[in-house]
Amino acid sequence: MTISQWLEKFKWVEEDRKVVAYHGTNVTRACKILSDHKIWPSRQPWDWIGHGIYFWEYAPHRAWEWARGKFPADPAVVGVSVRLGKCLDLTDTRFTLLLQLAFHDLKANNSSLPKNVKLKRELDCLVINHVVTVLKQQGITVDSIRAPFIEGKRIYSGASFHSQSHIQLCICTEANVDWSTAFFDHGH
């Protein structure tokens, strides 16, 4: 099966589903984000679910943990409502095949592919970005990417639950961020 055949099989509809999303940062950046109504997309090769604006879905505490670790002197969290729109939702198994097809497409056309090394997930980023590019060529704009992220230590012996697991969002269509709902918390 090709990506085009996958598209014929699965009708992909735009969703009106909105979620509350949290972005960890520092106080200076949070103030700039709120004044400009803009968060600059990340375009690193290791952005594991592609290029875009990263959020934690319904996870303010995890956003705070990250912000405190990255910016210990002045952590902050910005929260907004985000419309998922056409979401590449990796919690839905129908998209698993799409990622496999994209990987095989890349593998067939490249002599070597990057590898995922711990939290630097260059292969995953490449596969996701390839999906987004191919879909765009087919006239489909991916507005968001949503995926479970298993992170941290097991919370007890034999557990499948981990201490920092969450749903990660990558917003590709900045217009889907509802700035009228934005709020800022700097922990004071």
Side-chain angles (χ1 to χ4, degrees):
M1 178 181 277
T2 65
I3 293 175
S4 295
Q5 290 168 329
W6 182 92
L7 284 170
E8 290 172 11
K9 184 175 179 180
F10 292 102
K11 299 296 181 220
W12 199 355
V13 296
E14 189 165 342
E15 298 180 37
D16 263 346
R17 181 169 45 148
K18 289 184 178 180
V19 298
V20 177
Y22 297 89
H23 182 82
T25 188
N26 64 33
V27 172
T28 303
R29 288 181 183 167
C31 291
K32 180 118 176 95
I33 287 167
L34 291 178
S35 70
D36 294 352
H37 288 176
K38 180 173 183 63
I39 299 176
W40 290 264
S42 181
R43 302 227 183 273
Q44 300 298 329
W46 58 80
D47 290 334
W48 77 287
I49 54 174
H51 295 163
I53 305 166
Y54 276 73
F55 293 95
W56 283 273
E57 180 182 313
Y58 293 112
H61 185 74
R62 180 66 191 106
W64 266 109
E65 288 175 341
W66 185 88
R68 283 186 189 111
K70 185 84 171 167
F71 307 104
D74 64 342
V77 171
V78 174
V80 292
S81 175
V82 176
R83 189 176 68 81
L84 297 179
K86 286 194 176 166
C87 180
L88 180 60
D89 189 345
L90 301 178
T91 67
D92 185 341
T93 57
R94 73 180 169 141
F95 293 110
T96 308
L97 177 58
L98 180 58
L99 293 184
Q100 290 172 334
L101 294 170
F103 171 76
H104 291 299
D105 189 37
L106 285 166
K107 195 172 174 184
N109 293 305
N110 293 280
S111 58
S112 69
L113 294 174
K115 296 191 182 321
N116 291 332
V117 179
K118 298 186 181 183
L119 294 179
K120 297 210 173 197
R121 303 210 175 149
E122 293 186 24
L123 177 60
D124 292 344
C125 184
L126 180 67
V127 170
I128 294 286
N129 287 336
H130 184 64
V131 167
V132 170
T133 299
V134 170
L135 291 175
K136 190 170 190 168
Q137 292 167 350
Q138 300 283 330
I140 297 171
T141 298
V142 174
D143 296 312
S144 62
I145 302 150
R146 182 176 184 266
F149 190 74
I150 309 304
E151 184 180 23
K153 296 177 181 177
R154 293 181 186 274
I155 62 172
Y156 52 84
S157 178
S160 294
F161 301 106
H162 291 73
S163 61
Q164 296 176 315
S165 295
H166 57 275
I167 300 293
Q168 191 83 55
L169 292 175
C170 177
I171 303 303
C172 308
T173 303
E174 197 173 334
N176 285 17
V177 176
D178 182 355
W179 289 107
S180 71
T181 65
F183 60 92
F184 157 54
D185 186 356
H186 57 87
H188 297 289

